């Protein structure tokens, strides 16, 4: 710190910036400032106003009115609950399954190379393509799943039109697409574990579960925590899948926080209210990241 | 060395900024110079240049330029790709930055919102009465808010109700017909007749005989709101904001109950059945006019015809209609010229071209008699519906919410998520919360 202060005194602040490594950070700072910090500050500002999209020159300060309205808005509450449900359905399964698949195909072999490519392929597809693909597969009349169910004598299922099924169906699609990327991260970590640890465990007579519990998991703990945080925050930010597949329906049963915020801003044109939801959502994500970090640190 | 590098960097930054700023100024100054001589009018449309509608706008714009000295019309095609994207995004951004073009296209149902925000120019103040009178009443009504006309179009749509004459005959239903054998508007079934015959069809077919899209989308307002309007029901009060007393009025509730009966009696499936009508799994279908082409080309063996939209109360027949309209914005520097351009973009030649290219109903009185496509039944029924039935879609700044709550109600009725009373109560609560922002 003293070194920096001395250099600032010597070259002046601008000189310090231009002559030091800080210059290399400038593009990143500019991008984050323009596309993240500035819009976020704008959203905070707008959240205290009645900004209506079609009347940009008629904005009034309304204090905490938008925030109190969120507390009373049952549709906002429903979308918060839905987002939490997505997290509950997706996060544990995605972390567990990506770990399971990574262990299965971690060893280098020709068969595993094929499976790695196969498992990773959904990830490179666009979310919209994946959504439309599953919409066709699960179509109640012509979808292959329902045709198959009918052949087996089961009743056809309305995967997207049934309020009791739609959220789970979308969760499954998100899970299916997202699993491969997490699997790669974990697989890379698995390949870094020295084989001598497993050899020593074999000599000691450890069984497969003991090797997993006392060697594998502790060795990849950091990567697992990373996956957990990324999947949790990513799941809270779901918007495209419910937008494309159900538009938040039926009866709002698949609407997420982001989709509700988007709807309020673009469809109802209530930028002030939509900004307030954004701020609450951002605070929620910060809180989750903080709690997760705290728990990991304590660990 | 570091000082030299620092100075060089500062020089590069300053030069870059200066270069940017200079180029902008040059463009601006040239614009100012041009604007003294040439009146530039910008038009934003939601359709691509290779669609019939997009081509039509380009052609009319060129004609307008040729007819006016020192006028340059630029048509920009910004394709509408969905909610919050493409055309709507661009329009919203332009409203925010105060950079609207002279002419825009907009869904006719959103005219009231734009007028409430003082974004549109009252065309009737600049166009002569004869010009306004040449349009169909339905178009003038749809483009008007209060006492003024804000948007126009050279064509319109009216959604047909398809029926399968073979299935009707096989089920023993006598198809209503006038002396020429046509099922005309005055022979439309009321709710009871519709229900009675639908039950006969159901018994004969052993499945839901009527196809409707029950999911929550803008389709509910477009295609199914006439069920309510034809029962003399309303969704919102005259101020466009009050829903209590309207959405739950006796007549509106009766219409919702009628819909409930359709779903509960197994007349309509509570979920979407793709191609049910084309595959003869439904004998009646509430679909868009574009299905005429689809059925003709893709299902040539299917015997189909059109029936009038069923109604609730005598004297209140209604039918779906509405499309994208053309409007002048308050941003224009040349209100009279811009209003004239709107009239030109939607003139009789435009109507003829759109009828020829896309099969749309001409929006000018004078062209109806000579219309080739709509002079004979069953297509004439669509024209009759457009001209002779009521069109009372709400003119409201909270239209998007009304569209959503109607969708919520119909979807809720279809899926039986709650009683009709509770669904309507929830809908009123949602709409009133939004309306409170405008009161």
């Amino acid at each position: 710190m003293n070194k920096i202060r001395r250099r600032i005194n010597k070259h002046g602040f601008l000189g310090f910036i231009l002559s030091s490594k800080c210059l290399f950070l400038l593009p990143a700072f500019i991008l984050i400032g323009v596309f993240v910090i500035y819009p976020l500050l704008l959203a905070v500002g707008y959240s205290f106003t009645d900004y209506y999209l079609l009347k940009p020159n008629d904005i009034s300060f309304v204090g905490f009115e938008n925030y109190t309205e969120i507390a009373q808005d049952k549709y906002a509450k429903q979308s918060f609950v839905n987002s939490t449900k997505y997290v509950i359905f997706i996060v544990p399964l995605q972390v567990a399954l990506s770990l399971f698949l990574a262990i299965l195909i971690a060893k280098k072999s020709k068969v595993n190379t094929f499976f790695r490519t196969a498992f990773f392929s959904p990830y490179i597809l666009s979310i919209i393509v994946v959504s439309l693909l599953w919409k066709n597969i699960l179509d109640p009349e012509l979808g292959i799943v329902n045709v198959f169910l009918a052949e087996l004598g089961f009743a056809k299922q309305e995967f997207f039109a049934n309020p009791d099924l739609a959220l789970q169906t979308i969760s499954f699609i998100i899970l299916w697409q997202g699993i491969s990327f997490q699997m790669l991260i974990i697989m890379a970590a698995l390949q870094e574990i020295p084989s001598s640890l497993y050899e020593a465990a074999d000599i000691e007579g450890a069984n497969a579960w003991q090797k997993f519990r006392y060697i594998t998991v502790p060795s990849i703990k950091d990567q697992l925590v990373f996956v957990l945080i990324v999947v949790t925050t990513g799941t809270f930010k779901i918007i495209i899948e419910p937008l494309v597949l159900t538009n938040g329906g039926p009866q709002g049963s698949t609407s997420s926080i982001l989709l509700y915020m988007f709807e309020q801003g673009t469809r109802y044109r209530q930028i002030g209210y939509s900004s307030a939801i954004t701020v609450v959502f951002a605070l929620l994500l910060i809180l989750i990241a903080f709690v997760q970090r705290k728990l990991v640190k304590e660990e | 060395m570091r000082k030299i590098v620092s100075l060089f960097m500062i020089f590069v930054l300053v030069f870059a900024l200066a270069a940017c700023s200079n180029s902008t100024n040059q463009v601006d100054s040239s614009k100012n110079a041009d604007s003294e001589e040439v009146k530039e009018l910008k038009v934003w449309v939601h359709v691509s240049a290779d669609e019939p509608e997009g081509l039509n706008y380009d052609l009319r714009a060129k004609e307008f330029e040729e007819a006016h000295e020192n006028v340059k019309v630029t048509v920009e095609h910004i394709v509408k790709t969905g909610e919050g994207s493409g055309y709507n995004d661009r329009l919203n951004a332009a409203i925010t930055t105060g950079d609207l073009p002279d002419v825009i296209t907009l869904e006719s149902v959103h005219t009231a919102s734009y007028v409430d925000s003082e974004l549109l120019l009252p065309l009737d103040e600049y166009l002569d009465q004869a010009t306004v009178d040449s349009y169909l009443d339905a178009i003038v009504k749809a483009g008007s808010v209060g006492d003024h006309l804000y948007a126009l179009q050279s064509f319109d749509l009216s959604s047909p109700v398809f029926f399968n004459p073979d299935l009707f005959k096989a089920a023993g239903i006598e198809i209503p017909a006038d002396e020429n054998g046509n099922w005309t508007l005055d022979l439309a079934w009321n709710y009871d007749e519709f229900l009675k015959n639908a039950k006969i069809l159901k018994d004969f077919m052993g499945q839901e005989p009527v196809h409707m899209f029950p999911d929550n989308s803008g389709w509910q307002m477009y295609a199914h709101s006439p069920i309510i309007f034809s029962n003399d029901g309303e969704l919102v009060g005259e101020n466009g904001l009050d829903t209590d007393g309207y959405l739950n009025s006796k007549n509106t509730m009766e219409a919702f109950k009628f819909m409930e009966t359709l779903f509960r009696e197994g007349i309509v499936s509570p979920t979407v059945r793709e191609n049910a009508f084309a595959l003869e799994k439904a004998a009646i279908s509430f679909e868009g006019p574009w299905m005429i082409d689809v059925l003709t080309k893709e299902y040539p063996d299917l015997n189909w015809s059109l029936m009038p939209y069923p109604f609730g109360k005598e004297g209140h027949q209604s039918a779906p209609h509405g499309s994208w309209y053309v409007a002048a914005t308050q941003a224009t520097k040349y209100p009279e010229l811009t209003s004239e351009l709107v009239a030109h973009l939607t003139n009789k030649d435009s109507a003829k071209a759109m009828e020829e290219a896309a099969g749309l109903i001409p929006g000018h009185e004078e062209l109806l008699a000579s219309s080739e496509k709509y002079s004979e039944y069953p297509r004439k029924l669509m024209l009759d519906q457009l001209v002779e039935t009521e069109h009372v879609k709400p003119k409201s700044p909270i239209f998007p919410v009304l569209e959503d709550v109607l969708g919520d109600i119909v979807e809720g009725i279809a899926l039986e998520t709650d009683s009709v009373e509770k669904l309507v109560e929830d809908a009123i609560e949602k709409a009133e919360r939004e309306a409170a922002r405008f009161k």
Side-chain angles (χ1 to χ4, degrees), chain B residues 285-296:
Chain B
S285 188
F286 290 72
E287 302 211 39
W290 50 88
M291 282 307 287
I292 290 178
D293 271 353
V294 175
L295 296 178
T296 310

Side-chain angles (χ1 to χ4, degrees), chain B residues 312-329:
Chain B
K313 291 195 191 314
E314 204 69 55
H316 292 280
Q317 265 181 272
S318 180
H321 95 120
S323 58
W324 282 68
Y325 277 36
V326 184
T329 72

Side-chain angles (χ1 to χ4, degrees), chain A:
Chain A
M1 198 63 196
N2 284 336
K3 200 177 162 190
I4 293 172
R5 200 170 292 139
R6 271 201 307 276
R7 287 180 64 186
I8 292 175
N9 288 339
K10 192 177 170 187
H11 303 287
F13 185 70
L14 187 63
F16 166 71
I17 294 285
L18 292 173
S19 64
S20 69
K21 291 163 193 163
C22 289
L23 199 60
F24 293 103
L25 295 175
L26 203 59
F29 276 131
I30 291 173
L31 285 175
I32 292 171
V34 171
F35 293 109
V36 179
I37 310 286
Y38 178 63
L40 194 63
L41 290 176
L42 271 185
V44 172
Y46 287 152
S47 72
F48 295 103
T49 68
D50 63 352
Y51 185 2
Y52 177 62
L53 189 63
L54 297 184
K55 292 180 179 175
N57 300 321
D58 185 17
I59 303 174
S60 306
F61 179 74
V62 294
F64 284 91
E65 209 173 274
N66 288 324
Y67 291 95
T68 51
E69 203 177 321
I70 293 174
Q72 294 158 1
D73 181 352
K74 69 176 182 184
Y75 299 96
K77 280 182 206 159
Q78 186 187 19
S79 63
F80 272 87
V81 170
N82 288 344
S83 287
T84 311
K85 281 185 190 170
Y86 281 121
V87 170
I88 292 168
F89 284 131
I90 294 169
V91 176
L93 274 175
Q94 189 151 329
V95 175
L97 286 174
S98 46
L99 175 62
F100 176 69
L101 288 179
I103 290 170
L104 272 187
I105 59 168
K107 280 188 183 162
K108 285 177 185 168
S109 71
K110 279 186 180 172
V111 177
N112 281 351
T113 307
F114 166 76
F115 279 115
R116 272 178 217 165
T117 314
F119 289 154
F120 193 66
S121 52
Y123 189 76
I124 56 171
L125 294 174
S126 124
I127 300 174
I128 291 179
V129 171
V130 168
S131 301
L132 294 175
L133 181 81
W134 278 102
K135 200 170 190 175
N136 284 328
I137 291 174
L138 300 174
D139 184 272
E141 291 292 317
L142 309 167
I144 190 164
V145 172
N146 267 315
V147 169
F148 190 63
L149 284 175
E151 286 292 319
L152 293 175
F154 292 104
K156 286 188 177 181
Q157 296 297 316
E158 297 281 353
F159 291 103
F160 298 113
N162 181 346
D164 298 327
L165 261 185
L167 190 134
Q168 285 86 331
T169 307
I170 293 176
S171 299
F172 166 76
I173 295 167
I174 295 167
L175 182 72
W176 177 80
Q177 191 186 23
I179 219 164
S180 50
F181 185 68
Q182 320 308 337
M183 179 196 75
L184 270 195
I185 293 169
I186 295 172
M187 202 173 67
L190 286 175
Q191 286 170 345
E192 291 298 309
I193 302 173
S195 57
S196 58
L197 292 178
Y198 292 107
E199 286 160 12
D202 284 336
I203 293 166
E204 294 292 329
N207 61 27
W209 167 249
Q210 285 168 326
K211 280 190 270 184
F212 173 75
R213 171 74 182 83
Y214 295 107
I215 299 173
T216 309
V217 173
S219 302
I220 60 166
K221 197 188 80 181
D222 288 347
Q223 285 79 3
L224 284 178
V225 169
F226 170 76
V227 166
L228 186 71
I229 292 174
V230 167
V231 174
T232 308
T233 50
T235 307
F236 264 114
K237 291 192 281 186
I238 284 168
I239 178 168
I240 299 175
E241 293 89 347
L243 181 69
V244 174
L245 292 166
T246 57
N247 201 18
Q251 300 290 287
S253 63
T254 59
S255 179
S256 64
I257 307 170
L258 273 194
L259 183 56
Y260 189 68
M261 180 203 80
F262 173 77
E263 191 183 47
Q264 291 294 321
T266 61
R267 186 160 164 70
Y268 294 176
R269 304 169 181 138
Q270 300 296 347
I271 301 296
Y273 188 55
S274 173
S275 299
I277 299 172
T278 311
V279 173
V280 173
F281 177 55
L283 290 175
L284 180 75
L285 284 190
I286 291 168
L287 182 72
I288 289 167
F290 178 77
V291 170
Q292 279 182 331
R293 220 183 125 148
K294 187 95 179 157
L295 287 174
V296 172
K297 266 191 176 176
E298 279 174 6
E299 184 76 11

Side-chain angles (χ1 to χ4, degrees), chain B residues 356-381:
Chain B
E356 206 178 303
L360 298 166
I361 302 174
H364 289 269
E365 290 280 356
E366 194 185 307
L367 301 176
L368 294 184
S370 59
S371 166
E372 278 180 28
K373 275 206 167 106
Y374 295 95
S375 58
E376 284 179 22
Y377 286 94
R379 282 191 194 225
K380 188 174 183 306
L381 190 58

Side-chain angles (χ1 to χ4, degrees), chain B residues 67 120 133 141 206 211 305-306 314 332 341 353 373 387 407 438:
Chain B
L120 302 183
D133 288 345
K141 272 185 194 168
H211 174 255
S305 190
L306 304 180
E314 204 69 55
T332 186
L341 175 60
K373 275 206 167 106
V387 178
F438 293 86

Side-chain angles (χ1 to χ4, degrees), chain B residues 324-373:
Chain B
W324 282 68
Y325 277 36
V326 184
T329 72
Q330 294 273 10
T332 186
K333 282 190 274 180
Y334 317 104
E336 200 166 344
L337 190 69
T338 307
S339 303
E340 200 187 324
L341 175 60
V342 171
H344 190 81
L345 290 170
T346 60
N347 66 10
K348 286 169 199 163
D349 289 339
S350 168
K352 282 182 206 161
M354 290 306 291
E355 186 191 357
E356 206 178 303
L360 298 166
I361 302 174
H364 289 269
E365 290 280 356
E366 194 185 307
L367 301 176
L368 294 184
S370 59
S371 166
E372 278 180 28
K373 275 206 167 106

